[in-house]
Structures are given as structure tokens and as C-alpha cells.
Amino acid sequence: MSEIDLPAESIKEDYLGLTKYAQALSNFVSTCKTPMTISIQGDWGTGKTSMMNFIQEILSETHQQEIDFIWFNTWKFSQFKMQDNIAFSLLSSFLQDLGESGQNARKLIVNLGRIVLAQSVQFGIDNTFLKAFKDIIWTSENDKIDAAQQVKQLTEEIRSAVTAKLAKNNTERLIIFIDDLDRLKPVLAIEVLEVIKNFLDIPGCVFVVAVDQSVVETGLKDKFNITDKDKDSNQGKITNFFEKIIQLTFELPIEHYDTEQYINNLLQQQNIEDDSRLYYQLTINSIGKNPRAIKRFFNLLQLWHKIAEAQEILNEDPKATELERFRVFFAVSCLRFAYRPIFLEMLKNQEQFEQPGYFHTLNLPETKEQQPIEHFKYFMDFFLEALPSDNTKEEISLEAITVLKEIMTGSYIDLASNLTFEDIVQELSAKYQQSLEAMNTQFELWRKNNVETGFYFRFILGAMNFDFSLGIVSTEMPITLSDVDISSDVKRYARDWFQQHMADTFPNPTINLKKKWDYIILGTQPTAECNTMEVFKNMAIDALDAVLPKLVAFYQARTPIIDKLHKFTRKLQLEIAKLYPPDEGYSIHEANGFNQFARYAALKIKKATWNNQFSIALEPQGNFLTKLIVGIKSANYQQEYNEIAQNNVYEAWQRQWPRRRSSPWYPFYTDYIVDIASTSDIVSDHFKFAFDTDADERQAIDKIIAELAKFKSFIPQLDQLAQATNQNQPDA
């Protein structure tokens, strides 16, 4: 069961029978006229990403010399403010993947970022694209640029870049996969489709987009201001817009999936070797064939199974083997998940189990649809087949009835409802929508070993960066702060804030800042005392009611300062791009998800001729840019260089900075102070932005640029260092 929530990476992992459809789509993708945009449609979790993985695998094997691939996963832009710049991110990522061929177009995007937005500017697409750059504007009389002309030129440069890329690689077409579009806000999903149409509708390009049709329709309703009342009369407008962008729609054939093989694979992952036919019939006549529904059930089943094992109701005894008990447990779990009223009725009337024909007197409540009633009828036949020993419709053995009672009663004391973590996330997302939106975050399912075991929200505000998690781990239900690959400084800010503001709610936290995950455990409750999902939900509500109001107030008080810091950094980046322009072979990289408020997250200037051996780096050594290292950063720890070439760089360095410092990562660096904030402690009430005027802010930027400009005097020595070392190492 550990793989059920991950897309299949290879056809070898195809347990649903998607390969034949992937082969047909691959043939179309490789032969269709271009430009072409294809949508793979289906609900979340039905196999869209798996299908795209299969298409790429097939084309890589059959057309290796003829096709290039690019992936753009919108998932990483689906949270916080990043998704507001989705148009910029898509184009930037696309051009970055084109390599040198996309340099001119990347330069134009930088120019667009310097445009002063004007509502009067119209050039055939919504102003949404230009608004994506609103946070990185540096207004100056010398920087005024014709927006319409820039966009037109950008479109032409992108077309030229694609043509150059295909010619350089001697390939015929470029396949661009865009995944997880339904993770975005619907209106932003539409924006991505508009970018494809307006900028990337280029000969040689085939876009394969994974999308949920309902997300697109919701986005179009927002775009055209269509209410539910007006939907029918405006359906033509929605259809026409969609068809203008999407030339081919492929809907995943869920009803034709090989669900039996899929279920059998899930059982094998739990080391259950048994008749898959029985489990298949129990599943499709209760849960159905939708992979997402099956996934949801198996996630819940695993949790129920752990509790059942703890209750020792699945152990072998004279009445039934361990495998026979698991069959009953599986059947009872299906009943409990899909036919809860019947499950509760049986639980209350266990003394009637011994009456002949009792199980076939059970009926679903009346419904207009006949299908559920028919499914339940078939389900009960297989339910009885799952009981141990030989049973008939009219007579069930006493041993089998005893086993059924033990499992129904024993499994019911764990989580006494069909409520899942997904249900809780949906309910609490609505309850706390205003607070979450105020902090630009959202609830996400928390998975351990790829199984849903709770939920969390991510809080990011400058150096405050943590996941606030609530879930079930082993025999406890902890409330924790977690994140990976962040410095102890960042963890300390979170610790200090909670100790100052939440001591009454969490008086005895367990703190270990050296841990990557769960470095602060605010509180725990034994699962024995929290034995229903309703109780867990209420525990979560109590915690959120205490934490969210204070976090929101803190976020809103600090956000204006953080926004100024963000804008300062963006302005700085634009000035760096002028000093080290793309047309001279330079590129600017925000290393490792660059956070200008966290230590060891460098802003790097690279040059193509340096072959990723080193970069000019601007790296915080204290939070909030209060202390910066400027130097040559190696691609690898303690990297060795050609000694003669390194000495030449050293001599050139000393002409600019008489004092040379070094470290395992930095063979050459200097440091200096720029007071961006009056204190590096975001928790402090004295934290503020340092610059009172634009002139003060500009002076600080000029100071940093002046330091970076010194490297220009010995670029030839750096070129020689890269050439002499003659090693092409991956970037650190």
C-alpha cells in the first residue's frame, strides 16, 4: 500500500492497463501537425501524471533522436504568493530549459519586469501577465519601455529560441508536459492556458496538459463573470474558449481500467497473497472503480488495519486462520466505508446473525437510482463468501459468525466513522478559509510512508518558516513543527514565537532543533484517548482556534515590512541583471529555492563558459540580509582547482580586496554589512525596515552593486580558471 498515492514512473508500474492508451497517444503526439495542445482529463488521482510519464517513456524509446522534452509542474507554484506569478514562472522555466537558445528571450522577460504598469497598455492579452511583475519594478525615467513592443518581441524571440533549440539538437519537435494544473486556483489555471496560446503556440511544439475539466470551467466562469444561473446560456462561450486552446481532449477511461490487477498489487504490497477476484468484487461493488476512491479507501484501510492488529482480532485461532480473518476484515471495512447505515444496523443487531437468511434481509434505503441497490445485492453475496468455512445464503456457521462479531466490534472501537483526513481537511479549510487566505497558505494532507496520517499548513514569513502539523504517528496524535533543510536560526524564530505567544496552550513542548522533522513537538495525545476521527478533528479545532488568530495577527503586522524586503531584493536582482546581462552569457540563479532571509541560500551569477564549476555568489550569513558574503562559490565542497589559474585569480582579487578570506565552499570571499532591518529578530517588536526614503534604499543597492562590479575586472582570470581546471561538476 506504500505506493498508492504516487504516480507510476514507468510502464513497469502500470497496474491499471494504461499502456495501450499511452501507446496510441504517443503515436499521435509524434505524428500530429504542430503546434498542438492536448489535454489529458480526469479527476485528481485518476492517473493523469502516470499517463504523461508513460507517453514520455514510449517516445524516448521510439523517437529518441527526434524529440526533446520539457516538464513544468505547477504543484510547486500552487501555494503562497508564488502562484500569483505563474505566467512569469512558466515562461521563465520554459526558456531556462531551452538553454542558450533562450537567452535573448530571458533578457526580454527581465526588461518586462522593469516596466511601470499602466492600465492603458493593451496588446491582445489580459494585463494579468504584466501584473505578474508588479513586485519587481524599479521606476526610473531611463527604464521606460514600450510594453506592447516588448511582448511582441518576446513572442518572436521565443519562437526563434524553439527553432534554434530543435536545430541545435537535430530534433523535429518539442513535447512540453504541464502537470497538476488543477492544483492552481481556477483563474490561474486559465492564465497558464492563455500563456500557452499567446506565447507558446509555436510550430514544432506539442503541449500535453493534465487538467480537471471542472477546474477549467470554474476558471472560465470567473473570467467571464458567469454565475451558476447564467451557466447554461453561456456554455457556448466556455466551450469555444476551451476549444480554441485545446485541440485534442483525451478523457481517462476509468471504467476500462484493470482494477483487479490494481487491487491485487495493493494487497501484495501488504504481503497479502490471496484470491484477488474476491477482493476485486468486494471493492467494485462498494467503493467503485475510481482509482482515487480506491486509494482513499486503502489509505483508511491501512489505519484501520493497524488498530485491528493492536486489538489482536486478526490473530489466528482455532476458528479462523490469519488470512481468513483478514478477508472478513476487508469485507467489513468495505461495508463500513460504502454502506455505513447497514454496517451500523448490523453492529446493533449482532444477535440476529444466527437467524437463517438474516444477511439477505438487509436493504439499502430507497433511492431513485437502481445501481447502488444492485451493487449492494452483489456485494452481500461476496461478503458472505469472505466469511471462513463453507457458508450458504441461508446458513452461516457459528464459527464464522463469531469471527464476524469479533472483527466488527473490535475494529469499530478505533475510528468510529468513515471520516477521513481528506474529509477533515475539506471541512476545516472552509471553517478557517479567511485565516488561511490572510497568511497565503492552505491545509494539505500529511503523509507518512505515502499514507495519509494527518494534515498541516505551511507558514512562511521571512525567516519564519515551518509546517504546523496535526496527525497520527504510531500510538500518539502529536502537534508538531516540521520542515527539512532549513537552518537552526529559522527554527529558533519559530520556537521563540511559540514560547512567547502560545505558552498557555502548549506549556511543555519537546524541543530538539537538530532534528529535521518534528523539531518541536508542541503536544501529544495518546490514540487510546483519541479513538475517533471526530475526537481528532475536535482536537485539531482546539489547537487551530488557539494558534491561528495569533499567527494571523503576527503575519499581518510583519507583512508590510517583509514585502518591502522582498521588493528590495527584486530590485537588486534587476540591477544585477543589468551588470551581468544574459546576452553576455550570464544568468542569475536563486539557488535551492532562494530565500533571501535564510542563511546559506545564495543568489548566484553564472556564466556558460564556467561549466558550473563555480559562481559569483551573494549569500546571507545572518538573516534579513544584515550580513552578506560576496565571493566565488565552488560547485562542490572543498573543490580543487588548477593551482596556477587559482593564483592568478588570487592576485586579481587582492587588487580589489586586499584581504582574502576562504572557506571550503568559498575559495575567495569578502563580507560587509548592509542594514536592511534594524534587527535580525522577526519576533522582536522592534523589527522594522531600515530605509526611510527611496534614496536610502537606492544607496544600499548601489553599495551591493559596486561590490559585485569589482568582479568584472577579472572575468578573464575566472574564464581561465574554469578552462584550466577542466572539470564539469554539478552545481551545489
Side-chain angles (χ1 to χ4, degrees):
M1 261 182 269
S2 60
E3 300 294 328
I4 59 177
D5 198 39
L6 296 176
E9 296 288 341
S10 169
I11 289 175
K12 294 179 181 178
E13 303 171 25
D14 179 20
Y15 300 106
L16 287 170
L18 292 174
T19 302
K20 57 186 177 183
Y21 302 105
Q23 289 171 336
L25 280 171
S26 299
N27 183 56
F28 179 83
V29 167
S30 64
T31 59
C32 65
K33 293 182 179 180
T34 62
M36 173 68 65
T37 302
I38 302 166
S39 69
I40 298 178
Q41 295 189 9
D43 292 339
W44 181 73
T46 54
K48 297 189 293 293
T49 303
S50 298
M51 177 66 79
M52 293 198 297
N53 286 335
F54 295 167
I55 292 172
Q56 179 171 354
E57 180 180 353
I58 292 169
L59 291 175
S60 297
E61 294 176 354
T62 59
H63 296 76
Q64 185 176 6
Q65 306 301 322
E66 304 168 18
I67 295 177
D68 286 327
F69 303 97
I70 289 177
W71 273 82
F72 183 77
N73 193 317
T74 60
W75 166 242
K76 60 183 178 181
F77 302 101
S78 66
Q79 302 180 67
F80 324 120
K81 295 182 178 180
M82 288 192 301
Q83 66 176 331
D84 295 334
N85 296 332
I86 191 67
F88 176 84
S89 301
L90 173 58
L91 287 176
S92 297
S93 178
F94 180 78
L95 294 171
Q96 188 71 36
D97 287 334
L98 292 182
E100 294 181 5
S101 302
Q103 282 188 3
N104 289 337
R106 288 201 298 273
K107 182 180 178 181
L108 285 171
I109 286 185
V110 173
N111 287 339
L112 278 172
R114 292 158 47 210
I115 297 174
V116 180
L117 299 181
Q119 293 299 320
S120 60
V121 176
Q122 297 293 332
F123 44 86
I125 65 171
D126 289 345
N127 278 341
T128 309
F129 178 76
L130 282 183
K131 290 177 183 176
F133 302 95
K134 64 181 180 295
D135 289 334
I136 57 175
I137 295 170
W138 183 262
T139 57
S140 168
E141 289 298 321
N142 296 326
D143 288 339
K144 289 184 178 179
I145 301 171
D146 186 328
Q149 181 61 34
Q150 287 289 310
V151 171
K152 180 180 178 182
Q153 187 179 350
L154 175 60
T155 305
E156 294 171 352
E157 287 291 349
I158 293 174
R159 182 181 294 258
S160 298
V162 171
T163 302
K165 174 74 171 180
L166 295 176
K168 180 180 179 181
N169 293 350
N170 195 27
T171 50
E172 297 177 358
R173 60 185 59 203
L174 181 64
I175 313 300
I176 303 97
F177 296 98
I178 298 184
D179 196 13
D180 282 336
L181 201 60
D182 43 12
R183 298 278 193 173
L184 296 172
K185 296 177 182 177
V187 68
L188 295 179
I190 295 300
E191 185 178 331
V192 170
L193 294 176
E194 288 183 313
V195 167
I196 294 173
K197 183 63 178 176
N198 288 288
F199 289 94
L200 304 177
D201 199 30
I202 301 169
C205 288
V206 178
F207 284 84
V208 182
V209 183
V211 66
D212 183 339
Q213 177 71 16
S214 63
V215 173
V216 175
E217 290 190 358
T218 300
L220 289 174
K221 286 167 61 179
D222 292 341
K223 177 182 176 66
F224 295 126
N225 295 318
I226 299 173
T227 64
D228 291 336
K229 181 180 179 181
D230 300 328
K231 180 180 177 182
D232 292 340
S233 60
N234 287 276
Q235 187 62 44
K237 183 184 294 186
I238 293 175
T239 301
N240 290 338
F241 183 92
F242 190 77
E243 291 179 349
K244 181 176 68 173
I245 297 177
I246 306 294
Q247 287 79 52
L248 176 68
T249 298
F250 176 81
E251 189 166 350
L252 291 170
I254 299 173
E255 286 300 318
H256 299 287
Y257 281 179
D258 190 346
T259 311
E260 182 172 357
Q261 182 183 12
Y262 180 62
I263 293 170
N264 188 47
N265 177 62
L266 297 179
L267 292 169
Q268 288 177 352
Q269 291 179 26
Q270 203 182 12
N271 299 318
I272 300 298
E273 298 289 343
D274 201 5
D275 178 13
S276 62
R277 177 197 60 84
L278 175 61
Y279 297 96
Y280 167 71
Q281 291 293 343
L282 285 168
T283 302
I284 67 169
N285 285 295
S286 56
I287 315 304
K289 291 186 176 181
N290 188 302
R292 183 187 186 190
I294 295 173
K295 178 220 57 166
R296 183 185 181 200
F297 168 69
F298 268 82
N299 278 337
L300 190 57
L301 178 72
Q302 184 166 8
L303 185 59
W304 287 346
H305 188 229
K306 289 182 181 296
I307 304 297
E309 286 180 324
Q311 299 291 333
E312 299 184 348
I313 59 174
L314 300 181
N315 294 345
E316 181 173 353
D317 66 5
K319 297 187 294 293
T321 66
E322 185 176 341
L323 183 58
E324 286 174 330
R325 284 182 171 270
F326 182 82
R327 286 186 202 138
V328 178
F329 168 75
F330 189 91
V332 168
S333 298
C334 289
L335 179 73
R336 175 179 170 185
F337 186 89
Y339 304 115
R340 182 169 173 77
I342 301 297
F343 173 81
L344 294 176
E345 181 180 342
M346 290 175 60
L347 194 66
K348 184 172 64 174
N349 299 311
Q350 293 185 43
E351 70 282 356
Q352 299 182 31
F353 286 4
E354 299 173 19
Q355 296 180 7
Y358 165 76
F359 294 100
H360 284 279
T361 64
L362 300 169
N363 292 299
L364 286 177
E366 289 295 327
T367 175
K368 294 181 180 180
E369 299 181 9
Q370 184 66 22
Q371 190 175 20
I373 296 175
E374 292 296 324
H375 278 308
F376 177 69
K377 177 182 177 182
Y378 292 129
F379 172 80
M380 288 307 300
D381 288 338
F382 291 104
F383 181 91
L384 296 178
E385 185 178 332
L387 300 180
S389 71
D390 296 329
N391 304 299
T392 67
K393 294 182 180 180
E394 300 300 327
E395 186 174 351
I396 310 296
S397 69
L398 291 177
E399 290 82 0
I401 289 175
T402 302
V403 170
L404 177 59
K405 290 179 178 179
E406 291 173 353
I407 289 176
M408 288 195 71
T409 304
S411 64
Y412 189 62
I413 62 175
D414 67 299
L415 303 172
S417 75
N418 283 349
L419 194 66
T420 67
F421 291 114
E422 186 175 358
D423 297 328
I424 292 175
V425 164
Q426 290 178 352
E427 179 179 343
L428 298 190
S429 293
K431 177 179 176 65
Y432 297 108
Q433 180 180 358
Q434 186 173 355
S435 294
L436 295 172
E437 289 181 350
M439 298 185 296
N440 289 293
T441 190
Q442 60 190 28
F443 291 136
E444 298 287 347
L445 289 173
W446 169 30
R447 294 176 173 87
K448 189 176 181 64
N449 297 325
N450 301 315
V451 176
E452 294 168 3
T453 55
F455 69 98
Y456 68 96
F457 69 87
R458 176 160 293 177
F459 182 90
I460 295 181
L461 183 69
M464 290 276 283
N465 186 339
F466 58 83
D467 290 347
F468 187 89
S469 307
L470 305 100
I472 297 176
V473 178
S474 186
T475 59
E476 293 183 326
M477 293 189 171
I479 303 171
T480 67
L481 299 188
S482 297
D483 207 344
V484 68
D485 294 334
I486 60 174
S487 70
S488 57
D489 295 344
V490 177
K491 295 175 183 177
R492 277 197 291 270
Y493 289 126
R495 177 203 62 190
D496 292 348
W497 188 89
F498 273 88
Q499 287 181 334
Q500 290 179 29
H501 297 277
M502 304 303 304
D504 293 340
T505 306
F506 306 108
N508 299 302
T510 301
I511 301 172
N512 184 354
L513 300 188
K514 294 182 179 180
K515 293 179 64 177
K516 290 184 176 181
W517 296 105
D518 302 338
Y519 57 85
I520 301 178
I521 301 176
L522 297 169
T524 61
Q525 185 167 346
T527 54
E529 299 175 14
C530 187
N531 59 7
T532 73
M533 289 295 276
E534 286 290 345
V535 173
F536 168 75
K537 183 183 75 173
N538 292 331
M539 181 191 78
I541 289 174
D542 289 342
L544 293 170
D545 281 346
V547 170
L548 286 180
K550 293 183 179 181
L551 266 184
V552 169
F554 177 77
Y555 187 95
Q556 292 175 335
R558 295 295 188 272
T559 293
I561 302 173
I562 299 299
D563 284 346
K564 290 180 180 179
L565 289 164
H566 275 298
K567 290 179 180 180
F568 175 90
T569 305
R570 294 303 175 189
K571 293 172 185 177
L572 175 62
Q573 286 180 267
L574 288 170
E575 295 303 305
I576 294 174
K578 294 178 185 178
L579 182 63
Y580 293 95
D583 56 4
E584 293 181 12
Y586 297 103
S587 56
I588 301 173
H589 298 261
E590 297 182 344
N592 301 323
F594 179 69
N595 178 350
Q596 61 265 35
F597 309 118
R599 295 179 66 181
Y600 315 125
L603 183 68
K604 298 180 181 180
I605 303 167
K606 297 184 179 181
K607 191 178 180 184
T609 54
W610 296 344
N611 295 323
N612 279 333
Q613 294 182 51
F614 52 78
S615 59
I616 300 172
L618 184 70
E619 180 173 298
Q621 291 297 288
N623 294 303
F624 297 98
L625 295 177
T626 55
K627 185 178 181 181
L628 295 171
I629 277 181
V630 178
I632 307 298
K633 185 170 186 178
S634 299
N636 296 293
Y637 187 75
Q638 293 184 332
Q639 182 167 332
E640 295 182 359
Y641 295 98
N642 177 277
E643 185 175 355
I644 296 176
Q646 186 168 354
N647 286 334
N648 290 336
V649 173
Y650 175 52
E651 292 176 1
W653 178 278
Q654 284 192 310
R655 288 193 287 271
Q656 299 294 339
W657 297 282
R659 181 183 180 186
R660 173 204 174 190
R661 295 186 176 188
S662 63
S663 72
W665 280 108
Y666 283 87
F668 312 94
Y669 76 87
T670 185
D671 58 36
Y672 59 100
I673 303 298
V674 177
D675 293 324
I676 307 304
S678 61
T679 172
S680 61
D681 185 0
I682 188 174
V683 180
S684 169
D685 291 335
H686 302 292
F687 171 67
K688 67 177 184 178
F689 189 59
F691 308 120
D692 296 326
T693 67
D694 290 345
D696 292 339
E697 187 176 0
R698 185 72 213 194
Q699 185 178 4
I701 290 178
D702 290 343
K703 182 178 180 181
I704 297 172
I705 292 298
E707 293 293 317
L708 292 175
K710 294 178 181 180
F711 290 93
K712 297 283 280 193
S713 67
F714 54 93
I715 292 298
Q717 288 89 335
L718 293 175
D719 290 341
Q720 292 170 5
L721 178 64
Q723 184 178 4
T725 305
N726 194 28
Q727 293 180 352
N728 187 1
Q729 307 238 6
D731 189 16

